[in-house]
Amino acid sequence: MEERRLQILGAIVEDYVATREPVGSKSLLDRHDLGVSAATVRNDMSLLEEEGLITQPHTSAGRVPTDKGYRAFVDHVAAVKPLSSPEKRAIRSFLDDAGDLDDLLTRTVRLLAQLTQQVALVQYPAVRQARVRHVELVKVADALLLVVLITESGQVDQRTIPLVAGRGPEYDTDFFADLRARLNQAVVGREVTALDSPLGDLLARTPPGNQDAVREVVGALQSLAQNRTEDRIIMAGAANLARSAVDFPIQVEPLLDILEEQLVLLRLLGSMQAEPGAVEVRIGQEIHDNALAQTSVVGAGYRDGSHLAILGPTRMDYVTGISTVQALARYVSRFLA
Amino acid sequence: MEERRLQILGAIVEDYVATREPVGSKSLLDRHDLGVSAATVRNDMSLLEEEGLITQPHTSAGRVPTDKGYRAFVDHVAAVKPLSSPEKRAIRSFLDDAGDLDDLLTRTVRLLAQLTQQVALVQYPAVRQARVRHVELVKVADALLLVVLITESGQVDQRTIPLVAGRGPEYDTDFFADLRARLNQAVVGREVTALDSPLGDLLARTPPGNQDAVREVVGALQSLAQNRTEDRIIMAGAANLARSAVDFPIQVEPLLDILEEQLVLLRLLGSMQAEPGAVEVRIGQEIHDNALAQTSVVGAGYRDGSHLAILGPTRMDYVTGISTVQALARYVSRFLA
DNA sequence: GATTGGCACTCGGAAGCCAACAGTGCCAGC
DNA sequence: GCTGGCACTGTTGGCTTCCGAGTGCCAATC
C-alpha cells in the first residue's frame, strides 16, 4: 500500500514531466498499468495530497507534484538509470578528443547541456593549493610587459602591465632576464596563496633605482595569484531555459540575470556535497534563493571540491539528469587523475 | 512637407519604441506638438505607408514602423545625442580601472549592456598578423607537458599534452630545455600563420629516436597558432533580451541559440564596417539571417578590424544605442593605442 | 493647394455566456 | 480494501455582443 502510493507518485511525476499538465486519476491509468481502478488511485491521491506530496491547482483539476513530492520521488522512487553503452561510447570519444583542461571542461559542459536539455554548469577546478611552476616576463611592445604565471596544475594566467614611460632604455633585456631568474628563484614551488612574503623580500633586496619596475611586476604577480584562487563557472545551454519556459510559468528574466551574475551560482555549487561522484539534488525551495525557487539543481563533485551541475525547472527529468551528471562527473574525475 | 513627414515618422518611431503599441494619429498628437491637426497627420501617414516606411497590423489599427522606416529614421531623423559629461566620466573611471586587455573588454561589454539595456557583444581584437614572441615548455606532471605560445601582441595560449607513457626517463629536463631553445630559434619573430615550414624543418632535423615527442609538441604549437587566428566574442546582457521579449512577439529561444553559437555573430560582426569609430546599423532583414530578422544590430569598429556591438529588437532605442556604441568604441580604441 | 472638421466604416479585443469536459469526493456494495 | 456509480465543480473553448481607437474620404476653409 505504502509501496503503491509511491508507485503512483512516480507515475504522476513522470506524466507531469512529460505532459506539463496536471494529471488525473483516469489519464494516469491510460499511461500506466497499475493493476487497480481509478477510484483506488483517487483514494491514494488524496492521501498523497494530505502528506503534501502533490497538490491541486484548483478543485476539479488533476494533481501536480510539490517540491516535497519531487524530493520523495528522487529519494525513494527514482532509480539511477545507467547510460546505454552507445551513449557511454559517444561521451568517451567526444571527451577524449579534448586537448587541454579548458577544452575538456568546455566539451563537458556542452555535452551535459545537450544530453539533459537543461542549463549546464561546470565549476573550474579549485586550485587553491597550486604551487608556482614558472614565471615568465615578456616585453611586448616598447612600454608593455607581459607577466605570465604558470602553476604546477598546468594553468596559465597572464597580465600586461605598462612600464613607466621614459624609463624604457633603463630596462633592457638583461634587466628582465635577471629579474625573471630572481623571481623564479623566489616563488617557484611555493603555494600561490603564499607569495606575498617572498615577493616582498625580493622587492626589498632590489636596488632603489629599479624598485618602480619591480614593484609593478610584483603587484601584477600578486594579483594573478589572487585571481587564480577565484572560482569560475562555465555554462552552456541557456537556450534550453527559454525552451522550458515556453509554455510554462517560469520567469526567464531573473534566471538569466542570475546566470550572468555567477556569484549566486558559485555559492550554490560551493554549498553542495563535495565527494567526487556523489550526486546531490536541490529542489525548488531547498535552494534558498527567491529567483531559483522554481528550479532544481542536480550537481556532483569532481576531482577535489569542484562541481558540475545542471539547472532546470523543478519539473525536470530527474532520472536522466542524475545519471548523466553522475556519469560525466566520474568521467571527468578519471580523466583528470 | 517632406520635412514634416520625416518629423512624423520620427514621432511614430519614438512612441512605438516607448509604448510598444501601434500609434494612431490622435494619440500621436497627444504626445507631440506637431502644429497640425489629426487629419493632416493621417494624410501624411498614408503617404508614409505608400512609401513603405510604416504599416498597419490590420485596418483600423495604428501604424508601426517597418524595417525600411527604421532605416529612414536612423539615416535622416535620428541625431546622435552626445553622452552627458557625468556619463562620460562614469565610463572613463570604470574603464580606467581595467587591469589588462581581458579585463578591459569584459568591463566594456558589461557597461555597454547596462547603458543600452540590450545584449552587448565585443569581438576579441583580431591578431591575425601576430608574430611569435616566445615558446615555453613546462613539464607539469610526470607525463604531461604544458606548451605555451606567447605572441608579440601579448596574447598567451597554452595546451597540455600527454607524453607517451613509458618513455618518461628519456625526456628529461635537459631534453626539454634543448627543445625549447631550438623551438624558439625556429619560430620567434615569425607570423603565427607561417609556422608550418619552420616547424617541419625542425622536426626533420630531430634524431629519429626523439621524433615522437617533438612531433607532439609541434602539433600542439600548430594547433595553438591556428587557434590564435580564430576570433572570439564576449557577451553580456542576455537577460535584457528576455526583458524585451516579455510583452513582445520575439522568439527568444533561437536567439539564445545563436548567442551561444557565436559563429553567426562572428560572421555578422566581420561583415560590418571596420573603420574605427564609424557606427553601422543593420536593421531586421538587412541582417541576412532568419533568426535575426526581428532584431537590429548597432556596431562600431575599434582598434583595427575588431568590432563591438549591441543587439536588440528592431524596436529599440537607436539614438542612445548609436551614441553609446560610438562612445565606447572610441574610448576602447584610444585606450588600446 | 494644403489643411481641417466631420462622418461613416472597420476591425480587434474585452466581456459575457454556455456547453463540454476532465477531474474529484463520496458512498454503497462486493 | 477495492470498485463502479453518481453528483458536483471549475476550466476551457467557442460563440456572440459591444465598444472604441483608428481609418479614409469629402466638402469646406484658409
Side-chain angles (χ1 to χ4, degrees):
Chain A
M1 46 210 85
E2 176 68 18
E3 175 67 25
R4 192 187 56 213
R5 279 225 297 281
L6 284 179
Q7 192 188 351
I8 289 176
L9 174 63
I12 292 175
V13 169
E14 204 175 297
D15 278 19
Y16 184 61
V17 166
T19 65
R20 305 177 171 195
E21 267 164 24
V23 5
S25 53
K26 195 148 189 194
S27 53
L28 196 67
L29 286 178
D30 288 349
R31 308 192 44 173
H32 299 83
D33 187 14
L34 295 169
V36 289
S37 78
T40 310
V41 172
R42 279 205 288 281
N43 288 335
D44 281 352
M45 278 178 157
S46 38
L47 290 178
L48 285 170
E49 185 159 20
E50 261 175 46
E51 294 179 58
L53 301 180
I54 57 179
T55 182
Q56 281 182 288
H58 53 261
T59 344
S60 92
R63 303 307 217 289
V64 167
T66 61
D67 286 2
K68 201 175 157 195
Y70 287 121
R71 165 57 54 200
F73 174 76
V74 168
D75 288 347
H76 305 302
V77 185
V80 178
K81 186 189 66 184
L83 301 189
S84 71
S85 54
E87 276 177 314
K88 276 189 197 161
R89 236 174 304 137
I91 292 178
R92 179 169 299 249
S93 78
F94 182 64
L95 293 188
D96 274 343
D97 284 350
D100 59 355
L101 180 66
D102 277 38
D103 197 14
L104 174 72
L105 296 183
T106 312
R107 280 163 182 258
T108 304
V109 76
R110 290 217 185 120
L111 200 54
L112 196 52
Q114 206 204 323
L115 292 175
T116 62
Q117 291 290 303
Q118 308 290 351
V119 177
L121 308 169
V122 173
Q123 193 177 14
Y124 222 84
V127 284
R128 290 200 177 66
Q129 324 87 322
R131 287 169 191 283
V132 174
R133 177 84 210 192
H134 187 73
V135 172
E136 184 68 40
L137 301 180
V138 185
K139 215 165 153 198
V140 176
D142 261 5
L144 282 181
L145 183 70
L146 178 67
V147 182
V148 183
L149 175 69
I150 304 176
T151 65
E152 293 199 340
S153 55
Q155 249 133 357
V156 181
D157 288 278
Q158 78 267 23
R159 164 153 307 184
T160 319
I161 56 174
L163 297 173
V164 183
R167 296 270 200 106
E170 195 175 327
Y171 304 134
D172 56 8
T173 317
D174 282 353
F175 171 76
F176 286 118
D178 174 57
L179 179 55
R180 185 180 67 174
R182 285 166 54 217
L183 278 172
N184 276 295
Q185 206 190 345
V187 301
V188 164
R190 302 215 179 222
E191 301 274 338
V192 289
T193 48
L195 297 187
D196 284 359
S197 104
L199 286 176
D201 287 356
L202 185 145
L203 185 57
R205 284 198 309 271
T206 302
N210 290 330
Q211 283 209 348
D212 282 353
V214 176
R215 187 175 296 117
E216 289 276 349
V217 173
V218 164
L221 272 177
Q222 282 169 326
S223 119
L224 282 176
Q226 191 181 352
N227 234 340
R228 177 94 322 286
T229 64
E230 271 172 20
D231 287 325
R232 276 181 299 159
I233 283 183
I234 34 184
M235 191 181 64
N240 294 332
L241 205 63
R243 214 163 285 141
S244 358
V246 168
D247 32 37
F248 218 69
I250 290 188
Q251 282 292 337
V252 190
E253 191 196 319
L255 276 183
L256 286 173
D257 268 332
I258 281 202
L259 291 183
E260 215 157 272
E261 243 342 298
Q262 296 220 350
L263 218 71
V264 184
L265 294 179
L266 277 169
R267 206 162 355 116
L268 173 60
L269 289 186
S271 72
M272 295 191 92
Q273 188 155 17
E275 251 174 78
V279 177
E280 183 178 346
V281 181
R282 293 268 177 91
I283 297 165
Q285 312 278 4
E286 297 172 8
I287 312 166
H288 297 293
D289 187 303
N290 249 341
L292 296 177
Q294 311 270 10
T295 57
S296 289
V297 177
V298 178
Y302 78 90
R303 215 192 206 183
D304 17 61
S306 305
H307 294 87
L308 85 210
I310 59 173
L311 183 151
T314 47
R315 181 214 92 264
M316 70 182 255
D317 179 352
Y318 290 97
V319 176
T320 62
I322 292 174
S323 334
T324 314
V325 165
Q326 186 173 61
L328 279 177
R330 287 200 181 142
Y331 190 86
V332 174
S333 295
R334 219 177 308 144
F335 191 96
L336 292 179
Chain B
M1 46 213 85
E2 177 68 17
E3 175 66 25
R4 192 187 58 212
R5 278 225 296 283
L6 284 178
Q7 191 188 353
I8 289 176
L9 174 63
I12 292 175
V13 169
E14 203 175 298
D15 277 20
Y16 184 62
V17 166
T19 66
R20 306 177 171 194
E21 266 165 25
V23 3
S25 53
K26 195 145 186 197
S27 52
L28 196 67
L29 285 178
D30 288 349
R31 308 193 43 173
H32 298 83
D33 187 15
L34 295 169
V36 290
S37 77
T40 311
V41 173
R42 279 204 289 282
N43 288 334
D44 281 350
M45 278 177 156
S46 38
L47 290 178
L48 285 170
E49 185 159 20
E50 260 174 47
E51 295 179 58
L53 300 180
I54 56 180
T55 182
Q56 282 182 288
H58 52 261
T59 345
S60 91
R63 304 307 216 290
V64 167
T66 61
D67 286 3
K68 201 175 158 196
Y70 287 120
R71 164 58 55 201
F73 174 76
V74 167
D75 288 348
H76 305 302
V77 185
V80 179
K81 186 189 66 184
L83 302 188
S84 69
S85 53
E87 277 176 314
K88 276 189 197 160
R89 236 175 303 137
I91 292 177
R92 178 169 299 249
S93 78
F94 182 64
L95 293 187
D96 274 343
D97 284 349
D100 58 356
L101 179 66
D102 277 39
D103 197 14
L104 174 71
L105 297 183
T106 312
R107 280 163 181 259
T108 303
V109 76
R110 292 216 184 121
L111 200 54
L112 196 51
Q114 206 205 323
L115 291 175
T116 61
Q117 290 291 304
Q118 308 290 352
V119 177
L121 309 169
V122 173
Q123 192 177 16
Y124 222 84
V127 284
R128 289 201 176 67
Q129 323 88 321
R131 290 170 188 281
V132 175
R133 177 84 210 193
H134 187 72
V135 172
E136 183 69 38
L137 303 179
V138 184
K139 217 167 154 197
V140 175
D142 261 5
L144 282 181
L145 183 70
L146 179 67
V147 182
V148 182
L149 175 68
I150 302 177
T151 65
E152 294 199 341
S153 54
Q155 249 130 356
V156 181
D157 288 279
Q158 78 268 24
R159 164 152 308 184
T160 318
I161 57 175
L163 297 174
V164 184
R167 296 271 199 106
E170 196 174 326
Y171 304 136
D172 56 9
T173 317
D174 282 354
F175 171 75
F176 286 118
D178 173 57
L179 179 55
R180 187 180 65 173
R182 286 166 54 215
L183 279 172
N184 276 296
Q185 204 189 347
V187 301
V188 165
R190 301 214 179 224
E191 300 274 338
V192 289
T193 48
L195 297 188
D196 285 358
S197 104
L199 286 176
D201 288 356
L202 185 146
L203 184 58
R205 285 197 310 271
T206 301
N210 290 331
Q211 283 210 346
D212 282 354
V214 176
R215 188 175 295 117
E216 289 275 350
V217 173
V218 163
L221 271 177
Q222 283 169 325
S223 120
L224 282 177
Q226 192 180 351
N227 235 341
R228 175 94 322 284
T229 64
E230 272 172 19
D231 286 325
R232 276 182 299 159
I233 283 182
I234 36 184
M235 192 180 63
N240 294 332
L241 206 62
R243 214 163 285 143
S244 357
V246 166
D247 33 36
F248 218 69
I250 290 188
Q251 282 293 338
V252 190
E253 192 195 319
L255 276 183
L256 286 173
D257 268 332
I258 281 202
L259 291 184
E260 214 156 274
E261 244 340 301
Q262 296 220 350
L263 219 71
V264 185
L265 295 179
L266 277 169
R267 206 162 355 116
L268 173 60
L269 289 187
S271 73
M272 294 190 93
Q273 187 156 16
E275 251 175 77
V279 177
E280 183 178 345
V281 181
R282 293 268 178 90
I283 297 164
Q285 312 277 4
E286 297 173 8
I287 312 167
H288 297 293
D289 186 303
N290 251 340
L292 296 177
Q294 311 271 9
T295 57
S296 288
V297 177
V298 178
Y302 77 92
R303 213 191 207 184
D304 17 60
S306 305
H307 294 87
L308 54 86
I310 59 174
L311 184 152
T314 47
R315 182 213 92 267
M316 71 183 255
D317 179 352
Y318 291 97
V319 176
T320 62
I322 292 174
S323 335
T324 314
V325 165
Q326 186 173 62
L328 278 177
R330 287 200 182 143
Y331 189 86
V332 174
S333 295
R334 217 176 311 144
F335 191 97
L336 291 179

